[in-house]
């Protein structure tokens, strides 16, 4: 059905049937089908390790940004103690106290995500011209698609909820 996994057994069966068609000169062989990646088999491990390292660095930068946003929101919640105390005195529920902090976190992380997508779009347009000729036949696909936008949206929403936890706990304790 168009996949390498389906093609391998079919080609092996075909190879086994060839001796009966061509006589004793052909010998049945197992046919191995591998995806064409453009990377030599010997270089796949170093390239894969580099990509894992790149993903770890990206995750570390995202984690640092998340901690920074969380500390910013925590500082803002401390600055807003008087406002929070007044709202509690007027009978505000805990939900209505926490909602502005959550909305603020979602807006802040959403703006960061939009800015990040803008930078990614710019890099995707400009970066292919920066790449020097490589000894490895490597092609970078930097296209932004729906999956990239969906991942960015989910990451921004998750990050904003995580960033809002600290200020929400601080407000709830006070």
């Amino acid at each position: 059905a168009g996949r390498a996994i389906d093609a391998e057994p079919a080609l092996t069966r075909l190879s086994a049937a060839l001796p009966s068609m061509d006589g004793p000169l052909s010998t049945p062989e197992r046919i191995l089908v591998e995806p064409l990646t453009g990377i030599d088999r010997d270089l796949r491990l170093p390239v894969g390790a580099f990509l894992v390292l790149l993903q770890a660095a990206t995750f570390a930068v995202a984690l640092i940004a998340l901690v920074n946003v969380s500390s910013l929101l925590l500082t803002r919640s401390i600055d807003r103690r008087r406002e929070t105390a007044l709202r509690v005195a007027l009978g505000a529920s805990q939900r209505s106290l926490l909602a502005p902090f959550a909305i603020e976190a979602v807006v802040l992380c959403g703006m960061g995500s939009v800015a990040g997508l803008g930078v990614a779009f710019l890099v995707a347009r400009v970066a292919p011209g920066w790449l020097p000729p490589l000894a490895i036949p490597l092609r970078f696909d930097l296209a932004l698609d729906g999956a990239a936008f969906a991942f960015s949206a989910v990451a921004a929403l998750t990050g904003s909820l995580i960033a809002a936890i600290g200020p929400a706990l601080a407000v709830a304790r006070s």
Side-chain angles (χ1 to χ4, degrees):
R3 296 183 332 193
I5 296 170
D6 298 335
E8 191 171 315
L11 290 173
T12 301
R13 282 193 306 274
L14 181 62
S15 173
L18 285 177
S20 63
M21 286 188 250
D22 292 337
L25 296 177
S26 297
T27 58
E29 295 184 22
R30 184 176 186 281
I31 296 177
L32 180 65
V33 178
E34 290 186 14
L36 180 62
T37 61
I39 301 173
D40 290 338
R41 180 180 296 226
D42 299 335
L43 295 174
R44 286 185 191 162
L45 185 62
V47 169
F50 172 72
L51 291 177
V52 167
L53 183 66
L54 190 63
Q55 287 176 338
T58 304
F59 180 74
V61 168
L63 191 62
I64 290 169
L66 186 62
V67 168
N68 284 340
V69 168
S70 185
S71 64
L72 173 74
L73 292 173
L74 187 59
T75 303
R76 291 215 4 101
S77 71
I78 291 170
D79 288 345
R80 293 167 67 180
R81 277 188 286 181
R82 293 180 81 191
E83 172 194 341
T84 304
L86 182 63
R87 291 176 68 196
V88 167
L90 292 174
S93 69
Q94 199 167 22
R95 183 178 185 174
S96 67
L97 286 174
L98 299 179
F101 295 106
I103 291 170
E104 191 174 276
V106 168
V107 168
L108 192 59
C109 289
M111 287 174 24
S113 181
V114 168
L117 282 172
V119 169
F121 181 75
L122 193 75
V123 167
R125 300 282 267 187
V126 176
W130 292 348
L131 293 174
L134 300 171
I136 306 169
L138 208 58
R139 186 180 134 255
F140 292 98
D141 185 14
L142 300 175
L144 296 174
D145 56 358
F149 287 111
F151 177 79
S152 177
V154 168
L157 184 61
T158 304
S160 63
L161 294 177
I162 291 171
I165 287 174
L169 291 175
V171 167
R173 275 184 270 168
S174 67

